[in-house]
């Protein structure tokens, strides 16, 4: 039994002796070389397995076989080291002799973020109105029916309050306490004036929501509301202030047109249109309505606790998206909300 084990061990050593060199030399990259070594001296390698049979070998032969096994193990490692060095040298030589790195290829540019055209328009508007003495106030996008309509003088059956125009939100109260996604930023007139006394000058930007959806209407869009209340304020102040504002925002190459119009919360009321002015051979752009304005209705002043005999004021509300569209000659409001960076990065 033990002589048999001895023979088996010797034969095993001879087999490994004959196999390891061709196996390691056949490997042409580091991974293959490591795998080849593992076949002999790895945890499940042939030599490792063979050593487990040592216990069956007669005692007097163990020393001799142990030394032979160790010598073989060292030989495998020595050949491995030599082959690894050769493989690395070869890889370096191939890289140096291979095609040169082309330093003229364009690099990968980082894509820095930027402000959306609507956000930029809003910030620019706030800058200009801020420099004219208007404070900024922001308010909630969900507000009461009362602040959105009733307190601004809308009659109860006004078409704007219809479910075809307004998003009602469940969970609110009844009547004036019902909750709606605000259809305009004019809600901020009620909020701000109710909590403070004149004189005041406020602008309030933000999102508004309507059941409108076509090339020039998006169900969510942006407005900026402005209002000023003091003693002796007239329509002339409104016109003068808006004209200065538009000149500063668009530069001189813009035409402006006031048109008499109706809004429940102002009297008199007007709409203001702008277009790109004709320049050289280029004709003027199409008229675009960008804001409504007027003198704050005495009823509204009374609703917030002011005395219309003592103070008066003007208000205006503009579409920030429209202003960005006029500024950049963008024909379709939807393009602003597709979030296509190829489009957005043009501005
Ligand atoms: N709230 C109006 C709208 O959304 C815009 C507007 C018109 C605001 C006249 C005003 C104003 O302050 O005086 O269509």
């Amino acid at each position: 039994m033990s002589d048999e084990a001895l023979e088996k061990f010797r034969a095993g050593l001879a087999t490994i002796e004959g196999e390891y060199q061709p196996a390691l030399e056949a490997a042409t990259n580091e991974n293959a070389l490591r795998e080849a070594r593992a076949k002999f001296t790895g945890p499940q390698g042939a030599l490792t397995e063979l050593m487990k049979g040592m216990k069956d070998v007669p005692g007097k032969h163990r020393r001799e076989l142990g030394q032979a096994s160790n010598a073989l193990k060292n030989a495998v490692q020595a050949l491995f080291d030599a082959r690894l060095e050769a493989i690395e040298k070869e890889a370096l030589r191939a890289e140096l002799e291979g095609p040169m790195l082309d330093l003229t290829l364009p690099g990968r540019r980082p894509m820095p973020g930027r402000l959306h055209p609507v956000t930029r328009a809003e910030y620019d508007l706030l800058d200009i109105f801020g420099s004219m003495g208007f404070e900024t106030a922001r308010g909630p996008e969900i507000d009461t029916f009362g602040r959105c309509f009733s307190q601004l003088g809308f009659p109860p059956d006004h078409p704007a309050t219809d479910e075809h125009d307004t998003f009602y939100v469940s969970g609110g109260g009844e009547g004036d306490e019902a909750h709606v996604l605000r259809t305009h930023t004019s809600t901020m007139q009620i909020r701000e004036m109710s909590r403070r006394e004149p004189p005041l000058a406020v602008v309030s930007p933000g999102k508004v929501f309507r059941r409108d959806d076509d090339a020039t209407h998006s169900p969510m869009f942006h407005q900026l509301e402005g209002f000023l209340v003091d003693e002796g304020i007239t329509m002339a102040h409104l016109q003068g202030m808006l004209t200065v504002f538009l000149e500063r925002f668009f530069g001189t190459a813009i035409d402006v047109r006031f048109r008499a119009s109706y809004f429940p919360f102002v009297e008199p009321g007007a709409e203001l249109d702008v277009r790109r002015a004709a320049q050289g051979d280029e004709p003027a752009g199409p008229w675009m309505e960008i804001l409504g304005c007027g003198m704050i209705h005495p009823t509204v002043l009374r609703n917030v606790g002011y005395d219309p005999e003592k103070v008066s004021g003007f208000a205006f509300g503009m579409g920030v998206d429209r202003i960005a569209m006029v500024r950049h000659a963008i024909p379709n409001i939807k393009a602003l909300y597709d979030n296509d960076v190829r489009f957005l990065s043009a501005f």
Side-chain angles (χ1 to χ4, degrees):
M1 182 63 196
S2 50
D3 276 351
E4 204 179 301
L6 174 63
E7 282 316 307
K8 218 175 135 192
F9 204 110
R10 287 215 168 106
L13 284 179
T15 308
I16 295 169
E17 183 86 55
E19 283 180 354
Y20 83 90
Q21 276 180 340
L24 265 63
E25 266 154 22
T28 52
N29 63 57
E30 187 176 336
N31 268 347
L33 183 65
R34 289 186 186 283
E35 274 172 29
R37 180 180 60 175
K39 278 196 191 117
F40 302 101
T41 58
Q44 271 112 47
L47 189 55
T48 318
E49 290 298 321
L50 191 63
M51 299 284 280
K52 290 180 189 161
M54 186 68 95
K55 60 184 188 315
D56 301 324
V57 170
K60 57 177 177 172
H61 295 289
R62 286 193 190 159
R63 188 180 158 85
E64 170 213 334
L65 291 183
Q67 283 173 351
S69 303
N70 258 338
L72 190 52
K73 197 172 172 187
N74 291 338
V76 170
Q77 185 59 36
L79 182 58
F80 173 89
D81 291 340
R83 287 291 301 139
L84 185 59
E85 200 184 321
I87 285 171
E88 283 172 350
K89 271 198 184 135
E90 171 57 22
L92 183 62
R93 190 197 59 78
E95 191 180 329
L96 290 176
E97 286 181 5
M100 294 268 281
L101 193 61
D102 185 352
L103 297 176
T104 67
L105 279 176
R108 283 185 212 139
R109 272 174 216 283
M111 289 237 298
R114 66 178 76 197
L115 293 178
H116 191 279
V118 172
T119 307
R120 251 199 350 263
E122 181 184 300
Y123 286 1
D124 290 349
L125 295 175
L126 293 180
D127 269 356
I128 297 175
F129 285 115
S131 76
M132 293 169 123
F134 286 81
E135 298 167 56
T136 300
R138 289 184 188 265
E141 290 163 10
I142 296 177
D143 214 329
T144 61
F145 185 94
R147 278 189 288 265
C148 198
F149 299 118
S150 312
Q151 288 177 265
L152 286 166
F154 284 75
D157 52 354
H158 191 280
T161 67
D162 196 279
E163 288 194 8
H164 291 290
D165 196 45
T166 299
F167 294 102
Y168 285 77
V169 178
S170 58
E174 294 285 309
D176 276 359
E177 292 308 311
H179 282 71
V180 297
L181 298 189
R182 65 178 178 190
T183 58
H184 54 182
T185 44
S186 303
T187 51
M188 292 302 290
Q189 291 188 32
I190 304 299
R191 281 185 172 269
E192 284 300 300
M193 292 195 287
S194 301
R195 66 179 193 88
R196 50 199 289 191
E197 291 297 319
L200 54 83
V202 176
V203 281
S204 186
K207 293 186 171 69
V208 300
F209 307 84
R210 287 182 203 175
R211 293 193 175 220
D212 260 346
D213 210 1
D214 60 36
T216 51
H217 296 90
S218 153
M220 183 283 301
F221 58 104
H222 298 79
Q223 285 188 335
L224 181 130
E225 189 83 9
F227 42 97
L228 180 150
V229 183
D230 201 349
E231 288 172 16
I233 297 301
T234 71
M235 193 92 184
H237 294 117
L238 171 65
Q239 275 201 327
M241 189 279 300
L242 283 179
T243 305
V244 170
F245 151 70
L246 289 164
E247 279 169 5
R248 286 191 44 193
F249 185 82
F250 287 112
T252 47
I254 202 92
D255 299 326
V256 178
R257 166 172 95 177
F258 281 86
R259 264 184 301 114
S261 186
Y262 171 75
F263 300 96
F265 39 91
V266 284
E267 180 58 37
E271 271 168 305
L272 196 153
D273 305 330
V274 292
R275 67 176 184 192
R276 269 177 300 120
Q279 268 177 318
D281 289 344
E282 258 198 59
W287 284 112
M288 249 199 154
E289 173 197 325
I290 54 161
L291 65 82
C293 59
M295 298 305 293
I296 300 176
H297 199 288
T299 305
V300 175
L301 293 176
R302 258 183 242 109
N303 286 346
V304 297
Y306 294 175
D307 181 354
E309 300 298 322
K310 289 203 182 120
V311 294
S312 57
F314 62 70
F316 55 93
M318 65 185 77
V320 180
D321 313 72
R322 293 230 175 158
I323 286 189
M325 288 165 74
V326 174
R327 188 188 223 184
H328 301 296
I330 298 168
N332 188 334
I333 192 170
K334 296 294 161 50
L336 289 172
Y337 298 115
D338 282 343
N339 283 340
D340 182 338
V341 275
R342 288 167 304 178
F343 168 80
L344 292 175
S345 60
F347 305 104

